[in-house]
Amino acid sequence: MWLGLFTVDVLLAQSPQACDCLIKGTVKDRETGQAIVGAILIVEGTNRNGITDAEGRYKIDKLCQGNYTIECKIIGYKTVKASVSLVHSAEEDINLTEEEVHLQDVEITAHRVQSSLSQKTISLEGKALEQNQGQTLGDALKVLNGVTLLQTGASIAKPVIHGLHSNRILIMNNGIRQEGQQWGSEHAPEIDPFVAKRVTVVQGASGVRYGSDAIGGVILVEPDELPKHSKISGEANMAAFSNGRMGVISGTLQGGIANWKGWAWRIQGTLKNGGNIRTPDYFLANTGVKEHNFSLTAGYRNAKVGAEIFYSQFHTNIGIFSGSHIGSTSDLLNVIKNGEPFIKADFEREIERPNQLINHDLLKGKAFYNIGANRLTWTFGRQFNRRAEYDLHGPQAATKPALLFRLTTYTSDLIFEHAPIKGAINGQIGLSGLYQYNFTDGRPLIPDFDQTNIGMFLIERWVRNQWELEAGLRYDWRKLDIFKFVGSALSPRQHQFSSWSGTLGSVWNATEALSMRVNLGSAWRPPSPNELYSKGVHHGAAAYEEGNDQMQPETAYNLIGSIDYNRKQWQVEVGVYHNLIQNYIYLKPQAEPILTVRGAFPYFKYVQTNASFTGVDVDTRWEIIPKKLTHTAKISYLKAYDLQEKGYLVLIPANRIENTLKYNWTQVGKWENLYLSLTHLWAAQQKRVPPNSDFVDPPAAYHLWSVLIGGDWNKSIGWSLTAQNLLDAAYRDYLNRFRYYSLEQGRNISLRIKWNF
Amino acid sequence: MNRLHFSWALALVLTLALVTSCKKEEPAPEDENELITTVRLKFTENGTTTTQTFDWKDLDGEGGSAPTIASVGLKTNRNYKLEVEFLNESVTPVDNITEEIKEEADEHLVVVIPQPAGLLTYTYDDKDSRNYPIGLTGKIVTTSAATGTIQVQLRHQPPVGGVPVKNGTATPGSDDANVTFNVVVAP
């Protein structure tokens, strides 16, 4: 992901005639220093606008005196806004010349974004990201409206966007599709959130730009751009949590190379160590986590070319709560009946079996070449994911994982962004390839496989005055070779899938305060190897699951619209979506159970249906006392429906409402930007579930309170103190698999300190 | 090293990354360690040496063909010795898991539950190092004629946080095996 910085040199005109002022300047990409051609500049609240010419220059005249916000946008960059004061001049000189006007440099950080303009995106960056660092990537993301978590205890959390998760959302880690074993509900993203300076959620199907799996949305994990200067700088982060007595330290060091203009580097690393998690009533045995991660980046760039190499390693050892280890359906029914774990533990840091040992390596290379105003970018990635799951069973378990997956993925993307046509049409054409192979050892679950994917896409966008239109098309082809064994004889199988994806969207900036966007997008997902070939008991879920090798790809058609109203003390954003998924794959309960040596297990088969996900997200922000007291609310409503069976779907997040009251102080001595906030979350009980689909009814609704105090000290140190689940409420969440076995974690007080140097 | 060399080094690293992609191993069949295919009940009437053997058997593991379950036939008013064995017969040679259970007797317990309760009485006849029963050997006493079932559970009860949890009851741990035999007690 490339981050750019516009330098907008704003020339302020002064004129006695109230409406004869002028703003002019140039727009540059700070990353490359190159002039940006075709950027649109809109003066909010007026009908005046301009477009940058071949030298990146623009001029907007006939403006009245006053304070303005100018908005600068161009495809591929995040829209930026700058405040400009057109001040009155004492001189009565009507003939304006550049020398006479007051020059004001406005620097605005702008990010080159990969997402569609007409799709709703929400980002977590700066303070908002820092306040949620230290736990998993999912824990940081869940503060965003429309994002919930699918959990296996407290340490394994997968993000859910608009009710979809796992293989139905895509994570772009530093511009590379994250390829772990996403199909598993207990397989969390193998990403160190401290690498990210910004995490963005693109809501809705985004198959054109990102390819397969982007059915529910995309999560973009983006590090900062490499520094421009040779001075060494960095940051140190520390987070301590009372629950699990978890400590996390993370540091970054970066700089350039003296006398080597354009070269830059960064090293980053994180250590995490936590012990048993505590619910309000008891500790959960074997719920510790240990993590050590690092990343290295080096790069060179000038106005014409640039290249960057990134390497990261992620290692984690996650203890799986011993009380969740069940051998049979009767074990599960017994613990549900008991209402709490049979074996209580004390605090312990040691991780025993069962546990997961996960390594993820990523090597990424990226290069760009500017040919005039055209740009060619090549991105290459190699990932190696090793997931070892250790069981409790038998003496062999001590040395050998019950399940071992080794997944290697190569990705390569070539993107050509063309120069604006007639100053209004921008676009890109891309070619992307993926080659992947997997080895599974141990318990039969998914076969070894090998797959190749080739995709081509084109996206064009047209911007004019208040209107932006975009359209795109993509074609993907995938070949999947399965190495299935019948006894010890290899019985290979081959599947070929192909699909078209499309996107059509529009943004209408109706007035200064009101904008609307609507997008119709599609995405596809070929069935994953477990949906095709799994056959066996899913331990922990106490279910016998069987795949179907005749499965067809899923196709999603997603209509998403949002209205954004932003006026003085009020900001309201309403997003509405309807996602129709054809051939939606799910596990359907069968009438007869499967009898095994561990007793009878409920029998589920992977089948396909048509499903719809319809929902509304509302975000409001009200400055009750300007710059002091703010109220924010997030409301999320979702209804998922099986259109063929005329019933509900399982594991859909319940509706929720969150209210936050925040008070800001500007300064108390060396303490600056102080704030105190109080948040209340209400999550409803999920009542829309199919009958007889679960061992127990979805848990009751719950209320959670949390408090946050924070600020900066002496400019270089940021700190915050948080109490999550302040009242130590005993509750369970429907999307946590451990709801059967235990309560959710109790009060958790955390202290975060960040030092910039 | 000058700038030019460094650029070349970077290009080389990128190329190497591409080239190293070629090494790859051959796919191999999965092997499930610790599969129990067979639960064997061996009844020996006191004072005799004849042993009756009844098997619960699922040679292809979970799913596939359904398990075959022998029906247990016992005589009224007798005393039997009951030995329970656990085998993996899907491999050659057959893996006798009973031996592993004996080695880890402190974290295993075999539970035998007759249904109805008056079908027969079962008592343990072996002990682990902490004086708790194991259940690989037990005694059965039959009285009047009846039909019913016996459920045989192998409980795996490993220590939690280094603390032993086995306490002689079925409660701690999880099922390694949980099978049910039909039983006929007749004169």
Side-chain angles (χ1 to χ4, degrees):
Chain A
M1 192 102 8
W2 292 98
L3 311 171
L5 199 68
F6 287 120
T7 308
V8 183
D9 299 329
V10 180
L11 299 166
L12 299 177
Q14 296 148 23
S15 163
Q17 289 181 341
C19 293
D20 210 6
C21 300
L22 173 80
I23 303 174
K24 61 193 275 190
T26 56
V27 178
K28 284 179 181 170
D29 183 327
R30 182 154 177 219
E31 178 199 314
T32 63
Q34 234 194 9
I36 292 177
V37 189
I40 316 288
L41 290 111
I42 297 164
V43 182
E44 286 189 355
T46 73
N47 58 357
R48 305 299 302 152
N49 55 52
I51 294 177
T52 55
D53 62 15
E55 281 82 46
R57 301 184 67 82
Y58 72 93
K59 188 171 94 177
I60 304 167
D61 57 7
K62 296 196 176 74
L63 287 166
C64 306
Q65 293 168 3
N67 295 322
Y68 291 100
T69 301
I70 54 169
E71 190 178 64
C72 176
K73 55 180 149 198
I74 180 158
I75 305 318
Y77 289 87
K78 193 168 183 175
T79 299
V80 292
K81 290 181 180 183
S83 295
V84 178
S85 287
L86 285 178
V87 279
H88 188 76
S89 169
E91 282 181 283
E92 296 198 356
D93 188 356
I94 300 171
N95 300 313
L96 287 169
T97 58
E98 272 187 35
E99 290 73 31
E100 287 168 4
V101 294
H102 176 68
L103 181 81
Q104 185 190 338
D105 278 355
V106 184
E107 275 200 351
I108 316 150
T109 314
H111 323 296
R112 188 175 267 273
V113 289
Q114 294 193 339
S115 58
S116 145
L117 276 182
S118 61
Q119 248 169 306
K120 194 182 162 195
T121 63
I122 36 174
S123 291
L124 200 58
E125 57 190 314
K127 277 261 182 303
L129 179 61
E130 286 159 21
Q131 285 160 6
N132 292 289
Q133 280 285 29
Q135 286 162 297
T136 65
L137 178 69
D139 281 296
L141 284 166
K142 74 173 179 204
V143 303
L144 298 173
N145 201 6
V147 180
T148 48
L149 294 183
L150 176 69
Q151 285 179 282
T152 305
S155 40
I156 300 177
K158 305 193 74 171
V160 180
I161 305 173
H162 288 168
L164 297 166
H165 56 82
S166 301
N167 274 350
R168 293 192 183 98
I169 62 169
L170 183 62
I171 300 177
M172 297 294 289
N173 181 15
N174 195 0
I176 303 286
R177 341 167 23 111
Q178 179 78 6
E179 290 284 343
Q181 301 279 354
Q182 275 98 341
W183 49 268
S185 61
E186 58 274 18
H187 304 171
E190 308 84 353
I191 293 174
D192 176 7
F194 279 107
V195 171
K197 265 286 159 283
R198 180 175 44 259
V199 188
T200 303
V201 172
V202 182
Q203 299 180 339
S206 328
V208 173
R209 181 61 188 83
Y210 300 103
S212 65
D213 302 354
I215 278 183
V218 183
I219 294 166
L220 308 171
V221 178
E222 302 162 86
D224 214 352
E225 64 171 309
L226 281 170
K228 291 286 287 174
H229 44 76
S230 62
K231 191 176 137 260
I232 289 176
S233 63
E235 62 176 61
N237 285 283
M238 189 284 288
F241 297 82
S242 68
N243 204 329
R245 299 176 204 169
M246 185 167 80
V248 188
I249 51 170
S250 179
T252 304
L253 210 58
Q254 60 180 23
I257 303 171
N259 304 323
W260 287 32
K261 197 176 178 304
W263 289 92
W265 56 271
R266 174 184 296 134
I267 57 174
Q268 180 269 343
T270 302
L271 288 171
K272 183 191 274 187
N273 186 316
N276 286 353
I277 295 287
R278 199 180 194 291
T279 70
D281 300 341
Y282 42 82
F283 278 104
L284 300 176
N286 198 39
T287 49
V289 60
K290 286 181 177 52
E291 208 174 288
H292 61 279
N293 316 314
F294 73 87
S295 68
L296 308 167
T297 320
Y300 169 79
R301 64 179 174 236
N302 64 27
K304 195 135 185 85
V305 294
E308 185 185 278
I309 188 155
F310 173 87
Y311 179 70
S312 69
Q313 276 194 10
F314 175 88
H315 303 269
T316 188
N317 181 4
I318 304 175
I320 306 295
F321 172 44
S322 341
S324 75
H325 190 88
I326 52 156
S328 65
T329 310
S330 64
D331 279 353
L332 177 63
L333 295 174
N334 284 339
V335 67
I336 291 172
K337 202 174 141 201
N338 197 44
E340 58 177 37
F342 286 109
I343 304 296
K344 306 280 170 54
D346 287 327
F347 180 78
E348 184 71 58
R349 244 170 231 287
E350 210 56 48
I351 296 172
E352 303 181 315
R353 311 214 178 283
N355 64 331
Q356 297 183 352
L357 272 176
I358 301 145
N359 301 328
H360 195 95
D361 287 14
L362 167 64
L363 176 69
K364 175 202 164 183
K366 176 164 175 163
F368 70 83
Y369 181 51
N370 289 322
I371 315 147
N374 302 297
R375 180 187 177 101
L376 191 65
T377 310
W378 178 64
T379 313
F380 163 81
R382 179 197 183 270
Q383 291 171 78
F384 175 65
N385 183 285
R386 183 184 189 275
R387 160 175 291 275
E389 299 185 4
Y390 290 86
D391 260 7
L392 263 177
H393 286 267
Q396 288 176 35
T399 50
K400 209 174 150 191
L403 263 172
L404 173 67
F405 303 101
R406 287 167 298 150
L407 180 68
T408 308
T409 311
Y410 292 88
T411 48
S412 177
D413 296 272
L414 195 63
I415 291 175
F416 180 76
E417 289 165 85
H418 66 73
I421 300 164
K422 293 179 178 169
I425 299 171
N426 288 270
Q428 50 182 237
I429 182 161
L431 184 66
S432 68
L434 174 146
Y435 174 67
Q436 180 176 70
Y437 55 87
N438 173 68
F439 295 106
T440 307
D441 300 293
R443 203 167 57 219
L445 188 60
I446 60 163
D448 294 351
F449 65 84
D450 190 309
Q451 62 183 342
T452 309
N453 194 105
I454 293 170
M456 269 171 296
F457 70 89
L458 172 72
I459 304 176
E460 291 294 331
R461 288 141 178 171
W462 177 80
V463 184
R464 188 93 192 231
N465 301 330
Q466 297 120 308
W467 285 92
E468 294 167 29
L469 292 175
E470 88 179 333
L473 201 62
R474 181 184 178 113
Y475 181 75
D476 275 292
W477 173 82
R478 178 173 295 209
K479 180 168 76 82
L480 172 64
D481 282 299
I482 296 280
F483 303 99
K484 191 172 177 270
F485 282 85
V486 177
S488 60
L490 182 64
S491 148
R493 303 285 301 271
Q494 192 180 86
H495 299 263
Q496 286 194 31
F497 303 107
S498 62
S499 178
W500 288 94
S501 311
T503 182
L504 191 64
S506 173
V507 183
W508 180 43
N509 296 302
T511 69
E512 188 182 350
L514 184 71
S515 70
M516 291 176 179
R517 57 191 65 215
V518 63
N519 179 278
L520 176 65
S522 76
W524 76 301
R525 178 178 81 87
S528 58
N530 68 313
E531 291 161 339
L532 294 164
Y533 291 101
S534 76
K535 202 169 192 174
V537 169
H538 183 169
H539 291 264
Y544 181 90
E545 298 175 355
E546 191 176 296
N548 172 5
D549 61 5
Q550 300 302 309
M551 209 81 80
Q552 292 304 304
E554 279 183 358
T555 312
Y557 301 94
N558 187 94
L559 183 65
I560 181 163
S562 64
I563 297 176
D564 194 352
Y565 180 80
N566 189 344
R567 181 125 199 132
K568 290 186 177 132
Q569 284 147 267
W570 277 96
Q571 190 178 337
V572 180
E573 186 164 10
V574 181
V576 183
Y577 58 91
H578 181 74
N579 199 349
L580 177 71
I581 305 178
Q582 273 181 354
N583 297 323
Y584 179 82
I585 300 170
Y586 74 107
L587 282 165
K588 185 179 183 182
Q590 305 294 304
E592 287 298 310
I594 291 273
L595 189 60
T596 78
V597 75
R598 291 190 190 129
F601 284 90
Y603 180 18
F604 291 89
K605 271 185 176 171
Y606 280 106
V607 296
Q608 299 193 288
T609 186
N610 295 328
S612 72
F613 290 73
T614 311
V616 182
D617 294 328
V618 180
D619 284 271
T620 66
R621 192 185 137 84
W622 174 34
E623 277 193 55
I624 303 166
I625 306 169
K627 297 199 167 103
K628 289 265 183 227
L629 187 64
T630 315
H631 171 262
T632 52
K634 295 171 188 171
I635 303 166
S636 151
Y637 170 91
L638 167 63
K639 183 182 165 185
Y641 199 70
D642 182 333
L643 300 169
Q644 242 164 283
E645 302 278 321
K646 308 246 179 286
Y648 296 115
L649 297 169
V650 293
L651 280 181
I652 300 301
N655 301 328
R656 54 198 66 214
I657 299 176
E658 191 185 275
N659 282 284
T660 302
L661 211 52
K662 184 175 178 182
Y663 191 82
N664 290 282
W665 292 264
T666 40
Q667 200 164 1
V668 183
K670 279 192 168 178
W671 302 85
E672 292 172 287
N673 305 320
L674 296 170
Y675 55 88
L676 168 68
S677 75
L678 179 69
T679 300
H680 171 256
L681 169 75
W682 175 76
Q685 181 182 27
Q686 182 56 278
K687 294 204 168 122
R688 287 190 281 258
V689 288
N692 307 319
S693 60
D694 205 344
F695 295 100
V696 63
D697 286 339
Y702 59 85
H703 296 265
L704 285 184
W705 291 89
S706 59
V707 165
L708 172 65
I709 308 169
D712 297 325
W713 186 76
N714 207 6
K715 302 210 190 296
S716 60
I717 291 177
W719 61 276
S720 66
L721 189 65
T722 312
Q724 287 170 295
N725 192 2
L726 183 68
L727 303 181
D728 215 19
Y731 73 103
R732 294 170 200 245
D733 188 85
Y734 178 50
L735 260 67
N736 191 339
R737 209 189 77 203
F738 284 8
R739 68 186 182 279
Y740 297 139
Y741 313 111
S742 75
L743 296 169
E744 291 282 333
Q745 64 174 308
R747 185 185 299 124
N748 193 1
I749 297 170
S750 51
L751 174 69
R752 291 173 175 86
I753 294 172
K754 185 189 170 193
W755 177 42
N756 283 308
F757 54 91
Chain B
M1 192 161 67
N2 63 27
R3 248 167 284 185
L4 192 68
H5 285 140
F6 198 74
S7 320
W8 278 111
L10 192 65
L12 192 71
V13 169
L14 278 170
T15 317
L16 272 176
L18 274 171
V19 172
T20 49
S21 66
C22 302
K23 269 183 264 169
K24 203 180 130 186
E25 64 187 71
E26 286 301 308
E30 296 129 337
D31 95 273
E32 178 165 20
N33 46 53
E34 294 309 304
L35 175 70
I36 298 174
T37 61
T38 309
V39 180
R40 178 165 294 164
L41 305 184
K42 288 161 83 176
F43 291 87
T44 312
E45 198 184 325
N46 286 6
T48 70
T49 51
T50 21
T51 299
Q52 288 173 278
T53 301
F54 305 97
D55 282 357
W56 188 105
K57 209 183 275 228
D58 189 8
L59 293 180
D60 63 351
E62 298 161 352
S65 357
T68 56
I69 310 162
S71 186
V72 177
L74 300 175
K75 295 199 170 118
T76 49
N77 300 311
R78 303 289 161 98
N79 292 316
Y80 292 94
K81 176 171 123 180
L82 171 62
E83 290 164 290
V84 186
E85 287 180 1
F86 299 90
L87 309 169
N88 178 1
E89 295 188 288
S90 70
V91 291
T92 7
V94 168
D95 185 10
N96 191 344
I97 295 159
T98 323
E99 295 307 316
E100 291 166 20
I101 297 167
K102 277 181 196 156
E103 281 165 29
E104 294 184 349
D106 282 344
E107 51 185 72
H108 284 97
L109 178 71
V110 178
V111 183
V112 178
I113 305 164
Q115 188 72 36
L119 177 69
L120 48 83
T121 50
Y122 175 82
T123 45
Y124 286 110
D125 198 22
D126 51 6
K127 293 258 193 298
D128 67 14
S129 70
R130 293 169 61 242
N131 231 14
Y132 288 120
I134 311 165
L136 292 173
T137 313
K139 289 180 196 164
I140 287 209
V141 180
T142 59
T143 51
S144 50
T147 58
T149 61
I150 48 174
Q151 186 189 358
V152 179
Q153 268 177 293
L154 172 60
R155 300 289 295 167
H156 186 204
Q157 306 177 320
V160 173
V163 182
V165 299
K166 184 172 167 181
N167 60 5
T169 72
T171 305
S174 61
D175 283 342
D176 271 1
N178 186 340
V179 299
T180 302
F181 291 83
N182 284 323
V183 179
V184 178
V185 181

